[in-house]
Amino acid sequence: MTSTAARTDLTAVYPAYLRCLDGADEYGAVDVAMDLLADGVPAERILLDLVAPAQAEVGERWARNEWSVAQEHAATHISERVVAAVSSTAGPRPDRGHVVVACMDGEWHGLPARLVAEVLRLRGWQATFLGASVPAAHLVAYLQRYDAHAVALACALPMRLPYAHRMIETCRRSDVPVLVGGRGFGTGGRWARRLGVAWAPDAPTAAELVADERALRRVPAADLAHLADDEYAGLLRRRVELIDAALAHLRDRFPQLAEYTAVQLDSTVSDLGHIVDFLAAAVYVDDGDLFTEFVDWLTMILTSRGVPAVSVELTLAHFQQLLRDFPRAGRFLAAGHAVASASPTVTRH
């Protein structure tokens, strides 16, 4: 038999939980979590020190092309079932105000935000999780109808930052304090500061911020004076043109694109769209690191799937030519090109 001390050591049970995710063993994963709860491990620890890091590993395995999208989705579903089981058993009745938690419009990574909502609930708040990709108008109508104490918004992808800013400002016009979280706001929340909004690196910090309304409202104004140069708006206007031009350029350089299936072609167009969207977001917050970090990630993703890194280099160089009248975007593209050039090239089989 396993000792209680071993069972309550989350480091010791973590491999068993990952094996459950790997094997699509929903009942086994729930049993791991419920055994920990029965042995006295606080529900918050199970959610943040077991489920959350395991879900991060799920994402890494997909990125390394070790797991398919189907495997990633199955593992995420199991983690959501574990969260539901733990929360339904351990959740106290709320004795504090109402906090609404939601993902930005267009943001589909819902589990991290749900974990925040569950931690708030465990700490006595009436927390309502609205799920992934909530349209701004619907969110504001909900906040007004149910008299929210605060709203917590999650963003996992930096390319959504311009939309996040509009959503934040829409909530504020309803006089509801806003806090944000997620990797989409950058290391240390640096892009949250640029947008002038309170940022929490994790669920416990979010709970502390929610309890301090003055801290939520006491944030510097957004620092976006650079948008006066109209580069961001120009990139939006030319988005379709840029994607079409880049696809035509790749077809000229890589004749094998003519043999792509519809699924492969859709994936290529999606990647080109992401390049434009991340570039636009970098211009929006005036931070080239946002774009170069994305290029580094995209190159890793593509090479792990047998796509040569040179395809990214060629696309970025082509965009530089097309955007000669966009000085900030041009600098970011040049930096991204340098990052792509430094990555290993894997040929397509």
Side-chain angles (χ1 to χ4, degrees), residues 288-330:
D289 288 346
L290 188 158
F291 187 66
T292 54
E293 289 171 8
F294 162 71
V295 170
D296 188 44
W297 177 85
L298 177 65
T299 305
M300 181 272 292
I301 293 291
L302 292 179
T303 55
S304 73
R305 288 153 174 78
V307 180
V310 69
S311 63
V312 180
E313 296 177 53
L314 291 172
T315 298
L316 298 183
H318 190 58
F319 282 158
Q320 282 182 268
Q321 293 179 355
L322 295 175
L323 296 171
R324 289 186 297 271
D325 296 332
F326 291 65
R328 285 196 292 129

Side-chain angles (χ1 to χ4, degrees), residues 25-324:
D25 184 359
E26 176 182 325
Y27 295 101
V30 171
D31 286 344
V32 170
M34 299 308 288
D35 286 348
L36 288 169
L37 201 61
D39 287 332
V41 178
E44 185 171 315
R45 277 197 63 207
I46 298 171
L47 298 178
L48 300 182
D49 297 338
L50 180 67
V51 177
Q55 190 62 24
E57 175 61 22
V58 168
E60 289 298 320
R61 291 185 181 188
W62 170 83
R64 296 192 299 264
N65 203 29
E66 296 172 7
W67 278 14
S68 68
V69 171
Q71 287 174 292
E72 183 267 335
H73 285 185
T76 299
H77 166 74
I78 292 170
S79 290
E80 289 173 343
R81 293 284 293 162
V82 171
V83 172
V86 171
S87 301
S88 64
T89 302
R93 293 191 66 83
D95 57 7
R96 309 179 78 173
H98 183 202
V99 181
V100 175
V101 182
C103 295
M104 303 290 181
D105 193 1
E107 176 59 69
W108 296 99
H109 297 78
L111 186 57
R114 183 177 179 186
L115 291 173
V116 171
E118 297 302 338
V119 168
L120 288 169
R121 189 174 291 114
L122 289 169
R123 296 192 178 197
W125 293 91
Q126 179 190 348
T128 300
F129 177 51
L130 299 184
S133 190
V134 181
H138 294 206
L139 173 61
V140 170
Y142 189 90
L143 296 176
Q144 293 172 338
R145 180 174 180 178
Y146 292 99
D147 191 26
H149 170 83
V151 57
L153 301 175
C155 180
L157 298 174
M159 73 175 184
R160 306 300 304 173
L161 285 173
Y163 304 94
H165 186 221
R166 289 196 285 274
M167 202 163 183
I168 290 163
E169 293 303 311
T170 300
C171 292
R172 281 179 169 161
R173 284 194 288 273
S174 298
D175 197 34
V176 179
V178 182
L179 71 152
V180 298
R183 290 182 298 177
F185 289 99
T187 303
R190 64 187 189 273
W191 300 319
R193 290 192 295 274
R194 178 58 58 90
L195 299 181
V197 63
W199 174 79
D202 49 41
T205 305
E208 293 169 6
L209 268 174
V210 166
D212 187 351
E213 186 173 343
R214 286 187 298 178
L216 280 179
R217 296 182 182 276
R218 190 175 60 246
V219 292
D223 180 15
L224 298 171
H226 53 273
L227 292 178
D229 65 14
D230 205 39
E231 280 200 32
Y232 172 72
L235 285 171
L236 292 189
R237 288 193 295 269
R238 297 185 61 179
R239 184 180 187 275
V240 174
E241 170 200 338
L242 290 169
I243 294 171
D244 288 346
L247 184 61
H249 183 65
L250 288 175
R251 279 175 166 151
D252 289 341
R253 298 300 297 268
F254 298 98
Q256 58 266 41
L257 260 69
E259 302 174 3
Y260 270 23
T261 65
V263 172
Q264 289 175 310
L265 188 60
D266 285 346
S267 180
T268 301
V269 171
S270 177
D271 289 338
L272 294 173
H274 285 153
I275 292 173
V276 176
D277 292 340
F278 271 88
L279 177 62
V283 167
Y284 193 89
V285 297
D286 196 28
D287 190 341
D289 288 346
L290 188 158
F291 187 66
T292 54
E293 289 171 8
F294 162 71
V295 170
D296 188 44
W297 177 85
L298 177 65
T299 305
M300 181 272 292
I301 293 291
L302 292 179
T303 55
S304 73
R305 288 153 174 78
V307 180
V310 69
S311 63
V312 180
E313 296 177 53
L314 291 172
T315 298
L316 298 183
H318 190 58
F319 282 158
Q320 282 182 268
Q321 293 179 355
L322 295 175
L323 296 171
R324 289 186 297 271

